[in-house]
Amino acid sequence: MLEVKGLTVFYENALALNSLSLDVRKGEIVGLFGSNSAGKTTLMNTIAGLTLDLKIKEERKGGERITVHGELKFEGEEILEAKPSDRVRKGIVLCRERHPVFRDSHVEENLKISGYLHKPSEVKESVRRVYEFFPHLLRLKRRKAGLLSGGEQQMLAIGMALVARPRLLLLDEPLLGLSPAMQADIVRAMTDIRKQGITILVTEQYARPIFPIIDRGYVMENGTLIVTGTGKELMDNPEVKSAYFGM
Ligand SMILES: Nc1ncnc2c1ncn2[C@@H]1O[C@H](COP(=O)(O)OP(=O)(O)OP(=O)(O)O)[C@@H](O)[C@H]1O
Ligand SMILES: [Mg+2]
């Protein structure tokens, strides 16, 4: 479904992605693990088109020089130069790290806003499905998003991405800063989302709750992939154990 080959991103002179190659097959949950500044967000933003957008803006104002090259194919089609909105139309939807919500709008308004590309009947159906994935949100549907807890806002952010009707859902550190109970809710929702036929690429630093549900994972360091394997293979890998679990 998604093929990344030799993807390289330079910010000015800093190499954020170093000829990175990976693939995601339809129906999979694929994990991408790495510590701070490994390049996870850069990869997600490059797949979603935000890096290209930033590059164009920086060029206009004569700011930072950003270089992006390599291959990025979605369903066989090269999309490295496509606009973010065109990628959303093709079904690539990113839930950003600490995804912002509209704080003064209530939960259901936030969900509906994300469906602007779709017909009202489709949006209604998508919102209903979001409440199935996150029953907790249903109880909060008239609450202002700005009043939600961090975990509830994260659920809402994932819900907003779902209303955009992804075929490939990109989740950038969805468990960041959440309690173990909230993390478990989100991990469970991810498996439910996949059951609905949505493919998932998810990043995390501390991957323990995610390992059991992934089909495959990649570990990256300084913009380069260092290990790949199934969740179990990664958990048993001595390099991964020492880097992530201090074992
Ligand atoms: N706009 C930018 N300009 C310059 N350098 C940047 C920019 N965005 C990211 N970087 C650098 O690129 C590297 C990769 O950053 P990135 O945000 O992709 O890492 P990450 O794996 O998501 O880290 P974290 O776990 O902290 O979110 C870092 O060294 C970061 O400082
Ligand atoms: Mg990040």
Side-chain angles (χ1 to χ4, degrees), residues 40-42 97 172-173:
K40 303 179 298 295
T41 298
T42 300
E97 193 180 331
D172 194 6
E173 295 203 48

Side-chain angles (χ1 to χ4, degrees), residues 9-12 14-17 34-45 54 58 64 66 97-98 172-173 176 203-205 220 223:
V9 175
F10 279 100
Y11 295 111
E12 208 72 62
L15 184 59
L17 294 183
S35 53
N36 282 127
S37 74
K40 303 179 298 295
T41 298
T42 300
L43 177 63
M44 295 301 234
N45 287 350
L54 181 66
E58 290 287 334
E64 193 176 39
I66 300 174
E97 193 180 331
R98 300 186 183 86
D172 194 6
E173 295 203 48
L176 191 66
T203 75
E204 272 305 328
Q205 298 202 20
M220 68 188 294

Side-chain angles (χ1 to χ4, degrees), residues 4-21 37-55 64-72 80 87 220 222-224:
V4 178
K5 253 193 224 151
L7 192 62
T8 300
V9 175
F10 279 100
Y11 295 111
E12 208 72 62
N13 296 314
L15 184 59
L17 294 183
N18 185 2
S19 190
L20 187 140
S21 300
S37 74
K40 303 179 298 295
T41 298
T42 300
L43 177 63
M44 295 301 234
N45 287 350
T46 306
I47 297 172
L50 303 185
T51 308
L52 181 69
D53 230 28
L54 181 66
K55 172 181 150 70
E64 193 176 39
R65 273 216 330 272
I66 300 174
T67 317
V68 182
H69 59 83
E71 276 178 38
L72 180 63
L80 197 60
R87 299 187 205 200
M220 68 188 294
N222 298 322
T224 311

